[in-house]
Amino acid sequence: MEEEARKLLEEGIRKKLVSPGKGELSTFPNGTKVIFHYRTSLCNGTLLDDSRSMGGRNKPMELILGKKFKLAAWERVIITMRQGEIAEFTCETKHTALYPLVSQSLRNISAGKDPLEGQRHCCGIAQIHSHHSLGHNDLDELQANPQPLVFTIELLEVLPPGSFQLDVWAMTDKEKLELVPQVHEEGNMLFKQGQIKEATQKYYNGIACLKNLQMKEHPGDQAWLKLDHMITPLLLNYCQCLLLQDQYYEVIEHCSSLIFKYEDNVKAYYKRAKAHAAVWNEAEARADFAKVLELDPSLGPSISKELRAMEERIRTKEKEEKGRYKGLFNYNTPPATATTG
């Protein structure tokens, strides 16, 4: 333990044990998943981030070792810790220069945003010198004036390689391709069991894998088109789940993107028609149902049923509105007269 602390000190990192962990120190081979809470502060005690309160989520950080995480210091210090240990690490500026970018991504994630939102497509060092605002005053200040930081880390769990499902961002291209048919089948099974939210997540994960691979190809190339054809059935299943969860506008958006590329996709027109009908877009719904009938006349009975249901909903709505506003514009009612006491 003392030897490891001495090595860290030579590298510009001072470790202070707050609470010892349990068991033996892991060997931490590449591919190990570590789950930990962190607290980041300036040397004067000013708090920057705390995973227990960030975004009100109390969500710990998860990291796959050996994947070249932008903040290498975290990997370096964690491999000196036992599970359950809490330690404080004061890191010199050379280890913390990229923290503003890391923090911005983590804050975006906690707020449900794209982790790369607001970051330019260049390397971390280039971004540091670009004078580009990160959207947070404290991070802008830290980016303009790099300084040592204190990381208080509680190591919650250490999972050896192969004992957990990798997140999409941590997978190789081969692993992503192998995962897609698996999650597709799992999604179908969950859907049949009525577990719609769980099925939605499975389809989403499959789409994310393929979209990630597609970003590496040139739009319209054979490889790009092959991936797009794999995305289409997953996206249609995803839209079916969204329909059942009343997410109609998202269904319209996704189906419109499919129709833009594939003008003869009957399922996309059908799902978009149902979504339009649900949000009272009668003209758009009728146009889409008509297109479905044109592309596949065998669906005539189903379309007739959908149209009757839409028309009934419209009549019911009009009747309710007529009753709600009845009497508001009755000109036979005598005007109110003022009285004096």
Side-chain angles (χ1 to χ4, degrees):
M1 180 72 73
E2 291 181 1
E3 176 64 19
E4 190 61 53
R6 185 186 62 78
K7 289 180 180 178
L8 283 176
L9 197 57
E10 290 176 352
E11 297 172 26
I13 301 173
R14 186 173 70 255
K15 178 177 180 178
K16 176 184 176 183
L17 184 64
V18 177
S19 177
K22 300 177 181 178
E24 296 296 319
L25 184 67
S26 171
T27 57
F28 294 102
N30 282 346
T32 297
K33 183 176 187 175
V34 291
I35 303 173
F36 60 96
H37 273 300
Y38 66 91
R39 190 173 185 274
T40 305
S41 58
L42 304 179
C43 290
N44 64 9
T46 300
L47 179 66
L48 294 176
D49 295 308
D50 187 338
S51 60
R52 294 186 184 278
S53 58
M54 186 180 287
R57 300 176 68 190
N58 190 25
K59 182 174 174 59
M61 176 75 179
E62 298 183 3
L63 196 61
I64 309 295
L65 302 182
K67 294 291 184 179
K68 296 183 178 179
F69 182 62
K70 192 172 284 186
L71 193 67
W74 274 3
E75 290 199 34
R76 177 67 185 93
V77 301
I78 280 174
I79 63 173
T80 72
M81 301 178 70
R82 288 177 169 77
Q83 188 164 308
E85 179 180 324
I86 303 175
E88 184 181 280
F89 299 90
T90 303
C91 300
E92 292 182 359
T93 305
K94 62 183 179 181
H95 296 295
T96 64
L98 292 179
Y99 186 76
L101 294 174
V102 172
S103 177
Q104 182 198 34
S105 293
L106 294 174
R107 293 181 188 187
N108 282 345
I109 291 170
S110 71
K113 300 178 182 178
D114 182 342
L116 298 180
E117 183 177 308
Q119 294 187 16
R120 297 181 175 183
H121 296 288
C122 55
C123 71
I125 295 299
Q127 291 180 45
I128 287 295
H129 295 292
S130 69
H131 306 294
H132 177 62
S133 175
L134 298 175
H136 303 275
N137 292 336
D138 55 348
L139 299 184
D140 287 341
E141 173 63 26
L142 186 59
Q143 180 174 252
N145 301 289
Q147 56 190 284
L149 295 175
V150 180
F151 301 115
T152 303
I153 293 177
E154 179 182 0
L155 183 56
L156 303 173
E157 196 169 1
V158 179
L159 300 172
S163 67
F164 56 90
Q165 174 72 59
L166 283 171
D167 292 324
V168 172
W169 63 266
M171 292 180 181
T172 64
D173 290 354
K174 182 173 181 292
E175 288 169 335
K176 289 170 188 169
L177 277 175
E178 291 173 347
L179 179 68
V180 171
Q182 177 187 327
V183 296
H184 195 161
E185 181 59 33
E186 290 172 353
N188 291 347
M189 187 68 68
L190 289 165
F191 186 88
K192 290 175 183 176
Q193 294 170 354
Q195 299 182 56
I196 305 305
K197 287 186 178 180
E198 293 79 1
T200 305
Q201 189 60 50
K202 291 291 183 181
Y203 295 136
Y204 178 87
N205 289 343
I207 294 166
C209 284
L210 294 171
K211 286 284 189 181
N212 185 276
L213 293 171
Q214 199 179 42
M215 287 173 63
K216 302 176 184 179
E217 307 294 340
H218 190 277
D221 283 356
Q222 186 174 355
W224 188 93
L225 289 172
K226 182 179 179 180
L227 291 166
D228 208 56
H229 287 136
M230 294 172 68
I231 290 170
T232 299
L234 280 166
L235 187 54
L236 287 168
N237 288 0
Y238 180 69
C239 285
Q240 183 60 36
C241 291
L242 294 179
L243 274 174
L244 295 174
Q245 296 172 81
D246 302 337
Q247 302 294 317
Y248 303 120
Y249 289 104
E250 192 172 346
V251 172
I252 292 170
E253 180 182 350
H254 288 310
C255 288
S256 295
S257 71
L258 284 174
I259 291 167
F260 180 78
K261 293 181 288 185
Y262 309 108
E263 296 181 355
D264 59 349
N265 193 304
V266 178
K267 291 183 178 180
Y269 277 110
Y270 205 149
K271 295 182 196 305
R272 190 173 74 171
K274 293 181 72 170
H276 274 309
V279 295
W280 310 104
N281 295 339
E282 182 182 0
E284 292 85 349
R286 289 187 181 279
D288 278 350
F289 280 131
K291 187 66 177 180
V292 171
L293 190 59
E294 175 190 323
L295 293 170
D296 189 350
S298 69
L299 292 173
S302 296
I303 293 171
S304 296
K305 183 179 178 181
E306 293 287 350
L307 287 171
R308 285 196 300 271
M310 181 179 71
E311 289 163 358
E312 180 60 30
R313 287 177 63 244
I314 291 173
R315 282 195 295 270
T316 300
K317 182 185 179 186
E318 289 175 345
K319 186 176 180 180
E320 290 175 352
E321 290 180 346
K322 187 176 180 180
R324 188 179 303 128
Y325 296 116
K326 186 178 180 180
L328 286 180
F329 303 102
N330 188 347
Y331 296 105
N332 294 321
T333 302
T337 57
T339 60
T340 57

